[in-house]
């Protein structure tokens, strides 16, 4: 519980500071996009191996 | 199409009249909510009167989810959807019939809930015309959404949690407009109450129109 | 990105042919991806180094650059998704069905990011994360609607049933976009709190350019994301078809085995 309290206090402190907030916004956005795309591309590679070559692309 | 609607509505309502689930389960749920919020808000009538409008509509939405879930479950259990597919009834008519039957059940909920709030929260009624219009239009919108999403998720394994996720966000405007309209009718809000009633009408219209349009493909292909 | 060189499958084996495209990348996506990456770098430079803080918004305009673009991209994708859904239901097109799903999924991600970044911006500007601001509230509702779409999409069903069911949910969600925005706007206008600070301050010059740049960059990024996601969706469907065919084939072999 104290760990949570400490974390909350730190976050509350950080998030009053302008530059931390701006950085957080950018990092979250680009980070989320990167994580999502990593997962998509990895899934794509795994599935491509399992599907016969002729069926791999729409065209 | 209208005639088909009445056939379906009649069937659904007879079913409900016989089993009385809406009455025996949903109405007590509604009363429980009113009571529980009385406890939660410490029985302060000032606060209760202020939140009554919003709470009314929130409760209606939750109750509607229950009503729709039950009605969809019954249909699935009895293989009604397959039977409907084989009839020559106009799909739009089937949809409208379901809307009518859900609407009837919801109106019962509305009246019960309203009475409970008047009695338990000491809400003074005023602007009855606006109240009734909002309640009616809002309930049509909710019924139309339920008639559409209910059969859509019927048969899905996780339908009990999926249905609220589908219905509640899209009905958020109904909650908003209904609550604000009620507040104005009860003398607590600012602005034009009939504007909100108009918004409710628009949502109802959108849902009815879309429901009639897509019910055919939905019945055929699922 | 190098393609690993693998030997062709030996004769008579049933292993899938391993030569050819082994990922969802193609020259097109590599171009898009490279453009996005370069664009993002340039954008970050402009947002942080080159453009000055705004007179009205202060430093928080640097958050606007990403916030406005994610929401714009999300709206474009939602509209595209609705269009694809209509086409999929009308023409029974598998391509359109998968395109509807891919665009909706990326849109949902962007909507979620919009809400989070908007809350951060709110924290910066008003000191609280949430003030029931009209735009943020409606965006949150839209986000939930599309989460519902994705949930319906994941229900096990045949291709046709899935296409129609999710198409219906998509169309309803799209139809509700203007309703949600309007009703929440009316509601917000009743409150007249400090959120009357408009998000359309008059900006010009370098800031305007940066904003436009960010919209373009995020648009390209979004397209890149959708193409990859579409290809993955296509592969997933192919796999279930292949799986189905293989199962039918196995049944047939069994039957032959029993008879002979």
């Amino acid at each position: 519980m104290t760990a949570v309290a400490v974390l909350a206090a730190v976050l509350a402190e950080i998030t009053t500071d302008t530059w931390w907030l701006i950085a957080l916004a950018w990092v979250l956005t680009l980070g989320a996009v990167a994580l999502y795309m990593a997962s998509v591309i990895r899934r794509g590679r795994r599935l491509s191996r399992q599907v016969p070559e002729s069926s791999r692309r729409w065209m | 199409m209208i005639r088909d609607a009445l056939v379906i509505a009649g069937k659904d309502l007879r079913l409900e009249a016989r089993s009385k689930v809406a009455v025996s389960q949903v109405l007590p749920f509604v009363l429980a909510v009113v009571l529980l919020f009385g406890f939660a808000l410490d029985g302060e009538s000032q606060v209760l009167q202020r939140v009554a409008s919003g709470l009314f509509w929130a409760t209606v939405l939750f109750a509607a989810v229950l009503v729709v879930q039950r009605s969809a479950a019954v249909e699935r259990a009895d293989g009604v959807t397959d039977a409907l597919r084989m009839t020559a009834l106009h799909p739009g008519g089937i949809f409208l019939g379901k809307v009518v039957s859900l609407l009837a059940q919801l109106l019962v909920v509305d009246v019960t809930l309203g009475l409970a709030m008047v009695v338990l929260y000491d809400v003074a009624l005023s602007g009855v015309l606006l109240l009734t219009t909002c309640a009616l239009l809002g309930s049509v919108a909710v019924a139309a959404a339920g008639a559409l999403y209910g059969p859509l998720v019927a048969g899905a394994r996780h339908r009990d949690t999926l249905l609220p996720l589908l219905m509640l966000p899209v009905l958020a405007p109904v909650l908003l407009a209904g609550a604000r309209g009620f507040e104005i009718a009860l003398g607590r809000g600012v602005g034009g109450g009939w504007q909100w009633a108009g918004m409710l009408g628009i949502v109802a219209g959108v849902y009815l129109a879309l429901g009639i349009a897509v019910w055919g493909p939905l019945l055929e292909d699922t | 990105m190098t393609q690993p060189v693998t030997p062709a499958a030996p004769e008579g084996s049933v292993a899938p042919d391993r030569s050819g495209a082994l990922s969802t990348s193609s020259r097109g996506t590599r171009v898009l991806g490279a453009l996005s990456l370069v664009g993002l770098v340039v954008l970050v430079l402009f947002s942080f180094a080159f453009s000055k803080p705004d007179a009205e918004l202060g430093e928080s305009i640097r958050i606007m650059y990403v916030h406005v673009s994610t929401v714009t991209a999300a709206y474009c994708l939602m509209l595209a998704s609705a269009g694809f859904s209509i086409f999929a239901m009308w023409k029974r097109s598998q391509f359109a069905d998968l395109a509807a799903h891919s665009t909706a999924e990326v849109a949902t991600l962007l909507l979620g990011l919009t809400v989070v970044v908007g809350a951060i911006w709110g924290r910066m500007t008003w000191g609280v994360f949430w003030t029931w601001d009209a735009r943020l509230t409606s965006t949150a509702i839209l986000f939930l609607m599309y989460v519902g779409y994705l949930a319906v999409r994941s229900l096990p069903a045949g291709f046709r049933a899935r296409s129609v069911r999710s198409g219906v949910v998509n169309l309803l969600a799209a139809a509700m976009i203007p309703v949600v925005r309007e009703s929440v706007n009316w509601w917000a206008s009743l409150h007249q709190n400090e959120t009357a600070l408009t998000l359309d301050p008059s900006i010009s010059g370098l800031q305007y350019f940066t904003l436009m740049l960010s919209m373009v960059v995020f648009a390209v990024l979004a397209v890149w994301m959708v193409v990859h996601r579409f290809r993955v969706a296509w592969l997933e469907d192919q796999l279930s078809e292949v799986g189905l065919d293989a199962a039918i084939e196995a049944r047939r072999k069994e039957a032959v085995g029993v008879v002979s």
Side-chain angles (χ1 to χ4, degrees):
Chain A
M1 277 317 289
T2 41
V4 172
V6 166
L7 188 61
V10 168
L11 274 175
E13 183 55 42
I14 287 179
T15 56
T16 49
D17 185 36
T18 305
W19 286 105
W20 274 103
L21 283 173
I22 299 179
L24 187 63
W26 278 90
V27 164
L28 275 177
T29 305
L30 298 181
V33 169
L35 284 173
Y36 174 73
M37 285 314 288
S39 142
V40 166
I41 293 178
R42 213 178 11 226
R43 229 188 322 163
R45 296 218 175 122
R46 182 173 47 88
L47 288 169
S48 297
R49 279 197 288 277
Q50 297 172 356
V51 170
E53 192 199 344
S54 52
S55 321
R56 281 183 195 150
R57 286 293 169 82
W58 171 62
M59 284 188 282
Chain B
M1 183 168 83
I2 304 290
R3 213 170 9 130
D4 295 346
L6 291 173
V7 165
I8 295 292
K11 158 189 92 65
D12 280 347
L13 287 172
R14 266 196 300 279
L15 203 65
E16 173 52 34
R18 244 175 274 152
S19 68
K20 297 198 189 4
V21 161
V23 170
S24 66
Q25 287 176 17
V26 179
L27 292 186
F29 164 77
V30 158
L31 290 173
V33 169
V34 175
L35 275 173
L36 285 176
F37 267 89
F39 292 142
L41 298 169
D42 213 15
E44 288 185 40
S45 34
Q46 286 244 359
V47 176
L48 289 172
Q49 283 160 19
R50 259 189 48 204
V51 303
S53 307
L55 188 57
F56 177 94
W57 282 99
T59 312
V60 165
L61 285 193
F62 292 130
V65 171
L66 290 179
V67 169
V68 170
Q69 267 173 345
R70 177 198 122 66
S71 127
V74 162
E75 296 222 340
R76 174 160 176 75
D78 294 343
V80 169
T81 325
D82 291 330
L84 279 178
R85 217 174 275 140
M86 290 189 277
T87 66
L89 292 172
H90 189 289
I94 300 178
F95 170 72
L96 282 179
K98 288 177 179 304
V99 173
V100 168
S101 101
L102 282 174
L103 177 64
Q105 296 173 61
L106 280 178
L107 287 176
V108 171
V109 168
D110 287 348
V111 169
T112 314
L113 185 54
L115 277 176
M117 284 189 168
V118 166
V119 170
L120 289 166
Y121 294 174
D122 201 21
V123 172
L125 281 184
S126 66
V128 176
L129 185 58
L130 183 57
L131 278 181
T132 322
T133 313
C134 285
L136 191 59
L137 287 175
S139 303
V140 170
V142 175
L148 204 38
Y149 289 121
L152 200 138
V153 303
R157 221 168 1 156
H158 304 294
R159 65 172 169 279
D160 287 339
T161 38
L162 187 52
L163 191 60
L165 174 59
L166 284 181
M167 279 182 67
L168 295 177
V170 293
L171 289 175
V174 171
L175 173 59
L176 187 59
R180 300 292 86 75
F182 266 33
E183 270 171 10
I184 291 169
L186 295 176
R188 290 181 174 274
V190 290
W194 292 99
Q195 254 187 325
W196 292 115
M199 171 66 73
L200 288 172
I202 292 177
V203 179
V206 167
Y207 264 94
L208 285 175
L210 276 170
I212 294 176
V214 303
W215 191 259
L218 206 54
L219 195 59
E220 271 175 47
D221 291 316
T222 59
Chain C
M1 233 176 301
T2 54
Q3 301 280 29
V5 173
T6 47
E11 289 259 296
S13 82
V14 292
D17 184 2
R18 285 168 181 274
S19 60
L22 273 180
S23 81
T24 47
S25 310
S26 67
R27 199 165 67 187
T29 60
R30 286 189 208 110
V31 167
L32 283 174
L35 276 176
S36 310
L37 198 55
V38 168
L40 282 173
V41 169
V42 171
L43 180 61
V44 168
L45 276 175
F46 267 89
S47 307
F48 285 88
F50 298 159
S51 79
K52 307 264 180 310
D54 181 62
E56 288 167 43
L57 288 179
E59 301 284 357
S60 72
I61 193 166
R62 306 189 201 272
I63 293 191
M64 275 303 118
Y65 296 136
V66 62
H67 181 60
V68 171
S69 331
T70 50
V71 71
T72 314
Y75 268 89
C76 294
L77 288 175
M78 287 191 283
L79 287 177
S81 188
F84 282 127
S85 277
I86 296 178
F87 197 75
M89 293 205 299
W90 178 34
K91 292 285 186 189
R92 307 187 172 213
S93 155
Q94 187 189 11
F95 172 84
D97 178 55
L98 297 176
H101 180 200
S102 324
T103 41
E105 187 172 287
V106 175
T108 311
L109 176 69
L110 292 175
L111 279 176
L113 285 172
T114 305
V115 172
V116 169
V117 170
I120 294 177
W121 184 82
R123 173 73 167 169
M124 228 176 107
T125 316
W126 305 310
V128 284
F129 282 111
W130 197 265
T131 54
W132 297 97
D133 164 67
R135 288 186 209 208
L136 218 50
T137 310
S138 22
T139 310
I141 296 176
L142 292 181
F143 170 71
L144 287 176
M145 294 194 321
Y146 280 89
V147 168
Y149 168 82
L150 294 178
V152 169
R153 195 73 204 180
S154 67
L155 291 178
F159 295 141
R160 185 70 199 137
R162 181 188 68 183
S163 173
V164 172
R165 275 201 203 124
S166 56
V168 168
V169 175
N170 193 331
L171 285 181
L172 284 165
M176 291 306 283
I177 294 176
V179 177
V180 167
R181 286 175 52 103
E182 263 322 293
S183 56
V184 177
N185 276 342
W186 283 2
W187 174 56
S189 69
L190 294 176
H191 284 259
Q192 275 142 16
N193 50 18
E194 68 274 20
T195 66
L197 173 67
T198 156
L199 291 179
D200 307 311
S202 50
I203 61 174
S204 57
L206 200 53
Q207 290 170 343
Y208 187 72
F209 171 75
T210 313
L211 192 61
M212 292 299 117
L213 174 66
S214 76
M215 302 232 272
V216 168
V217 168
F218 271 87
V220 172
L221 182 67
V223 171
W224 176 67
M225 291 167 79
V226 167
V227 172
H228 271 287
R229 184 62 184 89
F230 172 85
R231 289 186 177 155
V232 167
W234 172 263
L235 286 171
E236 281 170 345
D237 274 9
Q238 292 306 107
L239 199 62
S240 27
E241 271 182 36
V242 163
L244 197 59
D245 289 344
I248 293 175
E249 192 54 39
R251 285 280 138 334
R252 199 174 294 137
K253 286 206 170 89
E254 267 180 37
V256 168
V258 165
V259 167
S260 64

